[in-house]
């Protein structure tokens, strides 16, 4: 099997769809899958304005390929985990925003992959678990940082200690997904297409400045925010878009309650 078939790549308008394609193994992530994700993300970063991560078949991703992992010497396990970190970092702090479309299992490393995207959409078939405790291993794909920040370290610890499995609705209440939709992939593509219409510099700043500012002291964060916002205002894109608004050529923010007002 070539790496192109382990992970599919499709352009839809200016959105890149990156699909894990090992349905027979529930899209478990082997070393080669990690490299195929990296290649696809690199390609999307130069060709697309937003990306969608999804899984072919019924499941998003069953996590680390346990068959491959069981054979690994300690040093290869460390190198493997560090490679996951580097590749998932390309998604979390790259150049374009990503939406994870979650159907079926988002388990272990699958949830870690979803946590690297900027936005997560799940449908009614989705379920979330961190069964590392039962497998005698630990998260190694960045979950102890990303998932802990997303849902809180206490909830993540609960998932890992008890092995509990959460539905999409439960994970939405915990803040681990932002949207629950009828069809995760369709909704994710819509959201990505919307993001793709934003100013490129602003998207870049959202992706790269927000997580860094979250790691800073308030004082450093506020200073960095002033620098980034001033830079954004200097772009040609900002000048054009601000004029468009002032001269009533662009859409206003839509009031979701407008229909109820009589
Ligand atoms: C796998 C994997 C895998 C399935 N590595 N081969 N992840 C887990 O502990 C989750 C393990 N998987 C499952 O619990 C279930 O497979 C699912 C709930 C996701 C799906 O269940 P089901 O009934 O649809 O499929 P299945 O029959 O369990 O699996 C189908 C095949 O996929 C089967 O192989 P086959 O050769 O017998 O057909 C499974 O062995 C294979 N398969 N999941 C390898 N994960 C960077 S650190 C991250 C740490 C973690 O990710 S820990 C969590 C690992």
């Amino acid at each position: 099997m070539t790496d192109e078939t382990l992970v599919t790549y499709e352009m839809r308008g200016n959105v890149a769809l990156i699909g894990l394609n090992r349905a027979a193994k529930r899209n478990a992530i082997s070393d080669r899958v990690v490299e195929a994700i990296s290649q696809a993300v690199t390609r999307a970063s130069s060709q697309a304005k937003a990306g969608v991560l999804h899984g072919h078949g019924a499941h998003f991703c069953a996590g680390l390929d346990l068959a491959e992992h069981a054979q690994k010497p300690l040093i290869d396990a460390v190198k493997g985990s560090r490679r996951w970190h580097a590749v998932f970092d390309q998604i979390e702090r790259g150049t374009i925003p990503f939406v994870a479309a979650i159907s079926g299992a988002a388990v272990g490393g699958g949830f870690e992959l979803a946590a690297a995207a900027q936005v997560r959409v799940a449908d009614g078939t989705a379920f979330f678990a961190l069964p590392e405790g039962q497998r005698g291993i630990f998260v190694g794909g960045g979950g102890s940082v990303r998932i802990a920040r997303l849902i809180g370290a206490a909830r993540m610890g609960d998932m890992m200690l008890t092995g509990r499995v959460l539905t999409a609705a439960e994970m939405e209440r915990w803040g681990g997904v932002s949207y629950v939709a009828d069809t995760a992939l369709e909704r994710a593509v819509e959201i990505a297409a919307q993001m793709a219409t934003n100013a490129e510099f602003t998207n870049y700043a959202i992706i790269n400045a927000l997580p860094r500012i979250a790691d800073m002291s308030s004082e450093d964060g506020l200073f960095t925010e002033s620098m980034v916002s001033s830079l954004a205002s200097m772009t040609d894109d900002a000048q054009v878009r601000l004029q468009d608004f002032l001269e009533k050529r662009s859409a206003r923010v839509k009031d979701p309650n407008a229909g109820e007002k009589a």
Side-chain angles (χ1 to χ4, degrees):
M1 191 180 252
T2 65
D3 289 352
E4 289 75 53
T5 59
L6 286 175
V7 171
T8 61
Y9 183 92
E10 181 199 335
M11 286 297 292
R12 230 180 259 182
N14 48 18
V15 174
L17 271 64
I18 296 176
L20 302 182
N21 194 28
R22 281 184 93 199
K25 297 290 177 187
R26 307 307 183 248
N27 294 325
I29 301 179
S30 63
D31 289 347
R32 284 179 54 211
V33 172
V34 174
E35 296 314 319
I37 294 170
S38 175
Q39 284 166 17
V41 170
T42 302
R43 191 171 164 195
S45 302
S46 66
Q47 292 181 345
K49 290 206 184 306
V52 170
L53 303 167
H54 67 104
H56 291 281
H59 299 280
F60 177 68
C61 174
L64 178 69
D65 185 320
L66 297 172
E68 184 178 77
H69 191 71
Q71 320 287 330
K72 275 195 177 161
L74 173 60
I75 186 64
D76 289 348
V78 175
K79 287 178 184 168
S81 167
R82 295 298 290 156
R83 191 65 194 132
W84 282 52
H85 290 166
V87 173
F88 288 10
D89 210 57
Q90 280 182 272
I91 297 166
E92 192 199 24
R93 299 181 188 201
T95 55
I96 58 167
F98 283 92
V99 184
I102 305 163
S103 300
V107 171
F111 190 15
E112 293 183 284
L113 173 61
Q118 282 74 28
V119 171
R120 281 150 295 281
V121 182
D123 61 34
T125 68
F127 57 96
F128 299 80
L130 294 170
E132 282 81 355
Q134 290 143 60
R135 308 276 178 257
I137 55 176
F138 193 71
V139 284
S144 62
V145 174
R146 294 195 186 96
I147 297 175
R149 287 179 187 184
L150 201 57
I151 64 174
R155 284 170 170 162
M156 182 181 178
D158 178 349
M159 287 180 77
M160 291 185 75
L161 287 166
T162 64
R164 68 190 284 184
V165 183
L166 280 82
T167 63
E170 288 167 336
M171 189 49 81
E172 187 188 29
R173 279 199 290 279
W174 277 17
V177 298
S178 308
Y179 302 83
V180 178
D182 289 340
T183 314
L185 181 57
E186 232 170 74
R187 186 76 183 103
V189 173
E190 278 171 19
I191 292 166
Q194 175 64 44
M195 290 169 154
T197 67
N198 292 341
E200 207 173 335
F201 186 93
T202 306
N203 274 354
Y204 186 88
I206 292 164
I207 296 163
N208 285 281
L210 279 187
R212 286 181 174 83
I213 290 172
D215 285 343
M216 292 177 188
S217 66
S218 298
E219 184 52 36
D220 290 344
L222 293 174
F223 179 77
T224 305
E225 180 189 273
S226 293
M227 292 295 118
V228 175
S229 64
S230 305
L231 281 171
S233 308
M234 301 295 289
T235 60
D236 291 345
D237 221 346
Q239 297 306 318
V240 170
R241 286 167 186 250
L242 292 172
Q243 280 310 313
D244 280 351
F245 176 79
L246 295 172
E247 290 162 24
K248 305 201 183 300
R249 284 192 297 271
S250 65
R252 315 189 87 69
V253 173
K254 203 168 155 235
D255 178 353
N257 310 304
E260 292 167 22
K261 287 179 192 160

